[in-house]
Amino acid sequence: MKNQGLPHHMFDGRPVIGICNTWSELTPCNAHLRDIAERVKRGVYEMGGFPVEFPVMSLGETLLRPTAMLFRNLASMDVEESIRGNPLDAVVLLVGCDKTTPSLMMGAASCDLPTLVVSGGPMLNGRFRNERIGSGTHVWKFDAMVKAGELSTEEFMETEACMSRSVGHCMTMGTASTMACMVEALGMGMPGNAAIPAADSRRMALAHMAGRRIVEMVSEDLTPSKILTREAFENAIRANGAIGGSTNAVIHLLALAGRLGVEHSLDDWDQMGRDVPCLVNLMPSGDYLMEDFYYAGGLPAVLRKLGDAGLLHKDTLTVNGKSHWENVQDADVYDDNVIFPTEKPFKEAGGIVVLRGNLAPDGAVLKPSAASPELMQHTGRAVVFEDIDDYKARIDSDDLDVDASCVLVLKNCGPRGYPGMAEVGNMALPAKILKTGVTDMVRVSDARMSGTAYGTVVLHACPEAAVGGPLAFIENGDMITLDVATRELSVNVDEQEFEARRQKWKPIHPQATRGYVKMYQETVMQANEGADLDFLRGGSGAPVPRDSH
Ligand code: FES
């Protein structure tokens, strides 16, 4: 260590604070995290700690193939063993892009050293021809406009630059922003962590304060297992409803709870989220972006509203040593257009809906705030795609037998089928339907959906097609019923017919023969259990005694 120019007094037993960094130029959302790490170090030094920054696998949503989600569990193993194997007393997790947040939290939870999460913050608002445009959300919109002949390819390219004009992660309420909110709602981040834009100097100040605080957390032995209780997860589920958050949060929180042994199931999302109004008017469900959310009061203002409505466990502990309520009880809303009053919410139903029926006996999810009200109760003829290649090959064909009342079904895109469970569930509609001006249809799959996407999209159907779930046996022409009010997702196929189809069924998904993907396919659990690897559930603690170094 002395070859780094560290003087001898640094080794006097002061707390060693790991700064676990997902900086990478291949993860553009996290490309500014080295600056953030420097600010954390300032705070650590100020409090007499010894900061050591180290890299872990960084998962960039835009570049990693086949999907960053395939590697969430691998990154969590990197994080867990890096923390456990090194002589650290505590750790600050620097996260941003979608999967970097859950992977680091999962790994750290399995070690259970004092841990504080600092998110990198969202990009500044996108703006194109004086219109507010959001990352992801407008990519889907503009893509559909190009398909419909309403926007040229050159104009589409111009929108890219207008959408990505500062450091930071996607600034819609996509998965990255949702997970940053989850960090704060769970109590694992400093108040204000979620919404401060990455380019705002107050983000740096928050990182500095986090560095100071983590040193105190060592002497308090304030570990994740003391913060991430069942009540903390309930707070997070309700916060997700109030912000109109991403469906991906369901899988990540289930996996995180599994690391801690906290009782938490898919049905909790429906039960806890059922009465939660959506208060936050952000894309993809609404009109505004994270920068606006910050100016309007950010997550503290939302948590306060939940508390006032009796929808928050007020006494849950947070990393700053205070309860949630102590942190947010004075938080005000500064823009009612962005954060709506509870009595007159942006949308009545914010929570994630869990659907069941003979199509998904172990559950499927839908985000009503991003769906079309007129499709919430719908029966339609199935138009089936066997896998993503089949979908891509036929979706825009003039010969595709489809109309706007049909239900698009995509198979073999679950955790095992499309290893990693890609975000392809919000299938773009057939070009010939888009040309008629229709913008939404019911879609059903075992895939995930980007948090920036929208539509009446049923996701995470469990068990997935690749392991012989009922989805595997749906055929063209079957009639599928979605009824959000009764939480039903069913198909008009009786058990006898299902069994006949099951006899003829052959799995079509490829099996990897080596490496991490082989291990993943052999051990990944279904989406309703968080899609973690089965042997990673639980934790092994931190074997290095705190006073041994
Ligand atoms: Fe990283 Fe959206 S691509 S947050």
Side-chain angles (χ1 to χ4, degrees):
M1 292 296 279
K2 284 187 176 165
N3 76 349
Q4 297 180 85
L6 295 164
H8 188 69
H9 74 268
M10 292 299 290
F11 304 91
D12 60 2
R14 63 188 64 206
V16 180
I17 309 297
I19 301 173
C20 183
N21 201 343
T22 49
W23 167 86
S24 167
E25 288 177 342
L26 287 168
T27 307
C29 308
N30 296 19
H32 62 303
L33 291 188
R34 287 176 119 180
D35 296 338
I36 301 244
E38 289 306 317
R39 302 303 174 132
V40 175
K41 286 180 196 173
R42 288 186 191 183
V44 172
Y45 279 125
E46 269 181 13
M47 296 298 283
F50 181 175
V52 278
E53 182 184 352
F54 63 98
V56 286
M57 186 180 191
S58 183
L59 307 177
E61 202 64 28
T62 48
L63 300 181
L64 263 175
R65 307 291 170 88
T67 162
M69 181 63 177
L70 175 58
F71 307 108
R72 182 198 66 179
N73 303 333
L74 176 63
S76 80
M77 292 167 82
D78 176 359
V79 171
E80 178 178 344
E81 303 308 341
S82 295
I83 295 174
R84 180 176 297 116
N86 283 294
L88 305 176
D89 293 301
V91 64
V92 176
L93 309 178
L94 302 190
V95 301
C97 198
D98 295 13
K99 307 302 175 293
T100 57
T101 303
S103 58
L104 268 61
M105 288 179 78
M106 288 160 66
S110 288
C111 285
D112 207 28
L113 282 176
T115 300
L116 197 161
V117 185
V118 176
S119 300
M123 290 186 283
L124 297 173
N125 283 359
R127 215 151 178 91
F128 175 61
R129 296 179 181 166
N130 208 27
E131 187 196 341
R132 193 181 268 107
I133 60 170
S135 21
T137 302
H138 273 83
V139 176
W140 313 119
K141 277 197 178 133
F142 291 145
D143 183 55
M145 285 170 73
V146 171
K147 265 187 168 182
E150 294 163 13
L151 195 76
S152 73
T153 307
E154 291 70 33
E155 288 171 316
F156 182 81
M157 294 302 169
E158 191 189 338
T159 65
E160 280 189 333
C162 299
M163 205 175 284
S164 308
R165 63 191 193 88
S166 81
V167 293
H169 59 68
C170 289
M171 78 320 243
T172 40
M173 189 52 84
T175 304
S177 299
T178 298
M179 290 309 295
C181 289
M182 295 297 92
V183 165
E184 199 172 326
L186 285 164
M188 290 296 291
M190 305 284 273
N193 172 74
I196 304 172
D200 193 306
S201 54
R202 287 163 287 187
R203 172 67 54 187
M204 293 297 180
L206 181 138
H208 188 132
M209 297 308 289
R212 290 178 60 92
R213 176 62 194 150
I214 190 70
V215 179
E216 293 174 346
M217 286 172 69
V218 174
S219 54
E220 294 167 15
D221 196 27
L222 184 49
T223 55
S225 58
K226 292 177 183 153
I227 295 172
L228 295 171
T229 58
R230 161 95 191 164
E231 288 73 26
F233 281 90
E234 292 182 359
N235 282 343
I237 290 171
R238 290 190 168 122
N240 187 274
I243 61 174
S246 163
T247 46
N248 283 321
V250 178
I251 295 185
H252 298 323
L253 264 59
L254 286 167
L256 179 62
R259 296 299 183 99
L260 294 147
V262 171
E263 194 191 322
H264 178 33
S265 74
L266 184 60
D267 289 326
D268 291 336
W269 283 84
D270 204 292
Q271 279 154 21
M272 300 293 155
R274 197 174 275 251
D275 302 327
V276 179
C278 179
L279 304 178
V280 176
N281 178 11
L282 252 60
M283 296 177 203
S285 305
D287 305 314
Y288 292 92
L289 295 166
M290 287 299 282
E291 190 181 341
D292 308 304
F293 183 45
Y294 178 51
Y295 303 146
L299 197 73
V302 174
L303 293 177
R304 179 187 173 181
K305 285 193 169 294
L306 288 175
D308 286 338
L311 293 170
L312 185 82
H313 295 292
K314 294 180 174 176
D315 296 335
T316 41
L317 191 58
T318 73
V319 282
N320 70 355
K322 297 183 180 163
S323 71
H324 262 112
W325 196 240
E326 285 176 288
N327 287 333
V328 306
Q329 60 188 341
D330 297 323
D332 284 326
V333 171
Y334 302 107
D335 189 343
D336 280 347
N337 296 313
V338 181
I339 303 175
F340 278 50
T342 326
E343 328 58 82
K344 207 167 155 275
F346 173 52
K347 296 194 178 182
E348 289 295 338
I352 304 279
V353 164
V354 178
L355 305 156
R356 286 183 199 274
N358 64 347
L359 208 161
D362 291 342
V365 303
L366 176 135
K367 179 175 164 181
S369 62
S372 302
E374 66 276 13
L375 289 173
M376 299 291 226
Q377 188 177 32
H378 183 81
T379 297
R381 173 170 61 90
V383 175
V384 176
F385 301 95
E386 291 301 323
D387 60 17
I388 191 66
D389 295 327
D390 183 30
Y391 164 80
K392 284 180 182 162
R394 294 193 295 121
I395 187 66
D396 291 333
S397 161
D398 284 339
D399 298 335
L400 187 69
D401 181 13
V402 66
D403 60 58
S405 71
C406 290
V407 174
L408 302 179
V409 176
L410 177 61
K411 303 178 182 176
N412 291 300
C413 292
R416 287 193 195 194
Y418 185 143
M421 200 181 176
E423 292 181 336
V424 293
N426 58 313
M427 303 161 248
L429 304 191
K432 67 179 182 187
I433 301 281
L434 287 170
K435 281 182 186 146
T436 66
V438 172
T439 56
D440 196 10
M441 291 169 68
V442 175
R443 289 156 266 181
V444 177
S445 75
D446 47 12
R448 293 178 304 116
M449 168 172 92
S450 165
T452 62
Y454 50 88
T456 310
V457 184
V458 178
L459 302 154
H460 313 176
C462 288
E464 64 174 299
V467 300
L471 186 68
F473 314 122
I474 306 300
E475 295 181 356
N476 284 317
D478 290 346
M479 296 303 286
I480 292 176
T481 296
L482 165 69
D483 190 340
V484 173
T486 60
R487 304 301 198 248
E488 178 189 351
L489 179 67
S490 61
V491 58
N492 68 334
V493 176
D494 62 26
E495 194 38 52
Q496 226 176 352
E497 174 61 18
F498 257 132
E499 192 48 44
R501 294 181 188 182
R502 193 174 282 125
Q503 296 301 327
K504 288 187 286 180
W505 175 72
K506 285 192 186 65
I508 63 165
H509 70 285
Q511 282 290 342
T513 54
R514 65 168 301 281
Y516 168 72
V517 182
K518 180 175 191 294
M519 180 172 76
Y520 173 92
Q521 282 189 310
E522 287 171 359
T523 59
V524 72
M525 298 186 296
Q526 289 293 290
N528 64 324
E529 295 178 301
D532 202 358
L533 305 186
D534 57 14
F535 61 90
L536 289 175
R537 279 170 85 87
S540 317
V544 182
R546 301 279 163 75
D547 55 1
S548 72
H549 46 89

